[in-house]
């Protein structure tokens, strides 16, 4: 489950190839490799010796020697060493760093970032492992051309992962069909105190899954979507002559007029009080 408090805040410094590779070892058994966290980048853990217990969302997977753990963007994950410890390489990169003008970006890469495609958590496919090993070797034997070579091999790796390791691949239009009732619910209840936890529970979804699906369909988190809807409704009220900011903010579901004003200015580029003045000066009908 993706929890805001577990988002990784320490920035990762990438090299010329936009790829970071770490070599790590935890020789003791059942020791923490890293705490639960999530981030927007993709992460791959190649176990060179021993084994790793990967906690991905709410499930645990054992990644044996010679296998690859696959961590897609925005999935909470933690890891522990196995019974014989673990030595592993972590390859990390932002999929967005590999966007280009080719249609393949729209068809294959953006769905990963938008959480419309998901992957199985582990693979020992020979072709994938060979490509991962070649990326690691290129990093270890680096010369002035290695960054370009690594970039090329990341494209190959992404192609292989999409070809062999997708666990689901759902078109946007199919995903949105069963969310129509949720959009209707939000449209009828945006004035109330509602949250992603409350909505997901009401419609029988795990909150983490619900938030991923919602963002894949709309491009927004549930609360961003709700707040934008509230702001649009507030703009309509202001256009129709409701100039009392406290009334408009409360009418549209905001508990704080100052918070409403802050969001309004950020979204529309003008404070609500200034918008009222502008409308009156331009002769907008009250």
């Amino acid at each position: 489950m993706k929890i805001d408090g577990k988002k990784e805040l320490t920035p990762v410094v990438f090299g010329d190839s936009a790829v970071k590779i770490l070599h790590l070892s935890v020789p003791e058994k059942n020791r923490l490799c890293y705490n639960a966290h999530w981030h927007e980048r993709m992460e791959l853990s190649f176990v060179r010796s021993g084994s790793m217990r990967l906690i991905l969302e709410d499930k645990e997977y054992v990644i044996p020697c010679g296998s690859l753990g696959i961590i897609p963007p925005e999935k909470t994950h933690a890891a522990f060493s196995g019974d014989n410890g673990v030595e592993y390489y972590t390859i990390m990169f932002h999929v967005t760093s590999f966007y280009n003008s080719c249609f393949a970006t729209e068809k294959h890469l953006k769905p990963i970032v938008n959480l419309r495609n998901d992957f199985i958590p582990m693979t020992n496919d020979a072709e994938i492992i060979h490509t991962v090993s070649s990326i690691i070797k290129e990093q270890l034997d680096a010369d002035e051309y290695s960054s370009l070579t690594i970039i090329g091999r990341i494209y190959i790796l992404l192609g292989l992962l999409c070809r062999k390791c997708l666990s689901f691949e759902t078109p946007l239009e199919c995903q949105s069909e069963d969310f129509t009732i949720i959009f209707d619910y939000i449209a009828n209840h945006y004035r109330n105190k509602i949250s992603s936890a409350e909505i997901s529970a009401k419609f029988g979804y795990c909150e983490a899954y619900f938030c991923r699906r919602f963002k894949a369909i709309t491009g927004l988190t549930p609360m961003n979507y709700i707040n934008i809807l509230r702001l649009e409704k507030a703009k309509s009220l202001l256009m129709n002559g409701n100039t009392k900011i406290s009334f408009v903010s409360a009418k549209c579901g905001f508990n704080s007029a100052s918070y409403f004003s802050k969001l309004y200015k950020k979204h529309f580029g003008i404070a609500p009080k200034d918008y009222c003045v502008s409308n009156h000066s331009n002769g907008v009908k009250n």
Side-chain angles (χ1 to χ4, degrees):
M1 177 178 175
K2 188 182 81 172
I3 301 172
D4 285 346
K6 292 187 181 297
K7 182 176 182 180
E8 183 183 76
L9 299 178
T10 304
V12 173
V13 179
F14 295 94
D16 294 342
S17 63
V19 178
K20 181 82 170 181
I21 302 176
L22 298 176
H23 181 209
L24 301 160
S25 178
V26 182
E28 302 86 358
K29 70 175 184 178
N30 300 323
R31 296 292 295 273
L32 182 70
C33 297
Y34 50 78
N35 286 310
H37 67 289
W38 66 270
H39 37 64
E40 283 91 358
R41 67 177 179 270
M42 192 160 186
E43 195 164 289
L44 306 167
S45 293
F46 174 60
V47 177
R48 183 176 178 183
S49 66
S51 62
M52 172 187 285
R53 288 193 297 118
L54 175 65
I55 316 297
L56 191 60
E57 303 277 76
D58 300 323
K59 295 183 179 180
E60 178 176 324
Y61 306 91
V62 176
I63 315 297
C65 177
S67 293
L68 185 73
I70 305 170
I71 303 163
E74 297 194 28
K75 281 199 174 185
T76 301
H77 55 287
F80 297 83
S81 59
D83 290 339
N84 297 310
V86 66
E87 179 192 359
Y88 65 101
Y89 285 92
T90 292
I91 300 174
M92 55 186 77
F93 56 89
H94 287 280
V95 176
T96 52
S97 296
F98 295 87
Y99 280 7
N100 56 44
S101 59
C102 297
F103 181 67
T105 291
E106 293 289 335
K107 188 175 181 180
H108 301 299
L109 298 188
K110 287 188 177 180
I112 298 173
V113 175
N114 295 335
L115 313 181
R116 289 197 284 120
N117 286 359
D118 199 7
F119 296 92
I120 58 175
M122 175 180 61
T123 183
N124 61 358
D125 177 85
E127 195 173 5
I128 291 175
I129 298 304
H130 173 75
T131 303
V132 167
S133 299
S134 72
I135 291 170
I136 294 169
K137 186 175 188 303
E138 191 66 43
Q139 173 79 3
L140 294 175
D141 301 335
D143 61 22
E144 61 180 311
Y145 306 107
S146 290
S147 58
L148 189 60
T149 303
I150 289 173
I151 289 171
R153 288 177 183 170
I154 289 293
Y155 278 115
I156 294 171
L157 179 59
L158 284 167
L160 291 171
L161 290 173
C162 288
R163 177 182 292 160
K164 300 184 177 190
C165 297
L166 281 179
S167 63
F168 73 73
E169 183 177 16
T170 308
L172 183 60
E173 58 272 17
C174 295
Q175 279 203 328
S176 62
E177 287 177 1
D178 59 346
F179 264 45
T180 301
I181 189 174
I182 295 176
F183 295 131
D184 289 342
Y185 177 81
I186 292 173
N188 292 323
H189 294 83
Y190 70 89
R191 299 178 184 87
N192 303 335
K193 186 178 180 180
I194 54 176
S195 65
S196 58
E198 183 259 318
I199 298 171
S200 58
K202 179 176 180 62
F203 290 95
Y205 289 99
C206 163
E207 186 181 2
Y209 175 76
F210 167 74
C211 289
R212 286 200 303 273
R213 286 279 308 277
F214 196 98
K215 186 174 181 182
I217 293 167
T218 66
L220 300 166
T221 67
M223 291 314 300
N224 281 342
Y225 178 91
I226 292 167
N227 279 336
I228 289 173
L229 177 61
R230 288 168 172 167
L231 291 170
E232 294 290 347
K233 297 295 184 180
K235 183 179 180 181
S236 179
L237 288 175
L238 293 170
M239 286 180 67
N240 287 307
N242 295 278
T243 58
K244 192 172 182 180
I245 305 304
S246 59
F247 169 81
V248 172
S249 64
K251 186 75 173 176
C252 294
F254 292 100
N255 292 328
S256 165
S258 61
Y259 178 64
F260 159 69
S261 296
K262 180 180 178 181
L263 285 185
Y264 193 98
K265 184 174 182 180
K266 182 178 180 181
H267 185 67
F268 292 114
I270 186 172
K273 61 181 179 63
D274 296 331
Y275 182 77
C276 294
V277 172
S278 175
N279 272 344
H280 285 304
S281 66
N282 289 325
V284 175
K285 184 179 178 180
N286 290 337

